[in-house]
Amino acid sequence: MSEARRPLISGNWKMNHNHFEAIQTIQKLAYALNAEDYDHVDVSVHPPYTDLRSVQTVIQADDIPVALGAQNCHWEASGAFTGEVSTSMLAKLDVTYVIVGHSERRELFGETDSEVNRKANAVLAAGMTPIVCMGETLEERQAGAAESKVAGQVQGSLAGIAPEVVAELVLAYEPIWAIGTGETATPADAQQMCGHIRSLVADGWGAAAADGVRIQYGGSVKPGNAPELMGQPDIDGALVGGAALVADDFARIVNFRLYQA
Ligand code: PEP
């Protein structure tokens, strides 16, 4: 892994934890990690919107070196969009990373690549970093269409973004069949697709963008499989769902280096 690409371990709490539980979880995580555990890794947590202010307050009051993240946003700055949250609202809460195009948003709420692209641009315009998600279904993988599906998502979601900006982005390869199922892509399969994504970035945005962009793997990452997954040359971190809800498990994933062979 290039030294320039610091791994980013992100915990996506999805629709779990009310704001009291969120406060407990971030406090437990802070307790489970030592200052030096952050030396070679960036860490973010992505609570539900209703928890953001509470988690922000704990992070700042206790000086915890964990970045605050959101799970979604709207691309418009303001207006009549009932139920939506703008990027400026997130930036005001000191949010650093915003997940866009998570497969649950794409599959359950019909988000398209062009909407993901608008969201990514809105996140960037507000001074934050998007974590742009992509991945194939089991049917697409079995039909040999995984690479073409992911290629379309890379091209559509990042369309029009300048190469020097792409270099600073975070992409997350999350095979849909591995999310929340206990099924993990093998380290070799995950590496193969993350390498494919990096070559797509090289083709579309140039070598410097491909070298800089961080590519996370997501899909049933656990303390036991994180060390080998994170050891792959094109995997620069993890987007973690279920295991991120348990502070001790997430802390062990953050500390994957200690468990590598
Ligand atoms: C996710 O939420 O992005 C995810 C990968 O979930 P899990 O780790 O539970 O599979």
Side-chain angles (χ1 to χ4, degrees), residues 17-39:
H17 289 340
N18 61 40
H19 71 286
F20 292 115
E21 294 162 338
I23 288 170
Q24 283 181 340
T25 305
I26 187 67
Q27 286 174 330
K28 281 187 191 165
L29 181 64
Y31 188 73
L33 290 168
N34 299 313
E36 58 270 23
D37 294 338
Y38 302 94
D39 281 352

Side-chain angles (χ1 to χ4, degrees), residues 142-156:
Q142 286 169 341
E147 288 199 354
S148 58
K149 166 77 176 291
V150 168
Q153 290 177 320
V154 171
Q155 282 143 11

Side-chain angles (χ1 to χ4, degrees), residues 89-242:
M89 293 170 183
L90 297 176
K92 199 76 182 162
L93 288 166
D94 294 325
V95 163
T96 302
Y97 299 100
V98 184
I99 298 170
V100 296
H102 189 279
S103 66
E104 287 152 15
R105 302 292 320 167
R106 292 177 184 266
E107 298 274 303
L108 303 175
F109 301 96
E111 265 181 29
T112 63
D113 287 333
S114 92
E115 288 171 342
V116 174
N117 180 253
R118 294 176 83 174
K119 291 184 180 197
N121 276 298
V123 170
L124 289 163
M128 301 177 290
T129 299
I131 297 178
V132 183
C133 301
M134 55 203 63
E136 80 285 358
T137 63
L138 186 57
E139 294 71 33
E140 288 161 344
R141 175 157 281 258
Q142 286 169 341
E147 288 199 354
S148 58
K149 166 77 176 291
V150 168
Q153 290 177 320
V154 171
Q155 282 143 11
S157 304
L158 307 187
I161 301 180
E164 64 275 17
V165 178
V166 171
E168 303 295 323
L169 296 184
V170 181
L171 310 182
Y173 168 56
E174 298 206 303
I176 295 170
W177 47 271
I179 297 180
T181 59
E183 296 281 332
T184 317
T186 64
D189 284 343
Q191 161 58 29
Q192 187 275 329
M193 189 62 90
C194 291
H196 174 59
I197 292 169
R198 199 175 302 285
S199 67
L200 290 164
V201 172
D203 290 347
W205 291 268
D211 194 42
V213 69
R214 289 190 286 181
I215 305 175
Q216 297 177 313
Y217 168 78
S220 299
V221 176
K222 307 274 182 252
N225 59 26
E228 200 180 347
L229 285 161
M230 297 306 109
Q232 305 303 311
D234 285 302
I235 299 182
D236 309 314
L239 184 51
V240 185

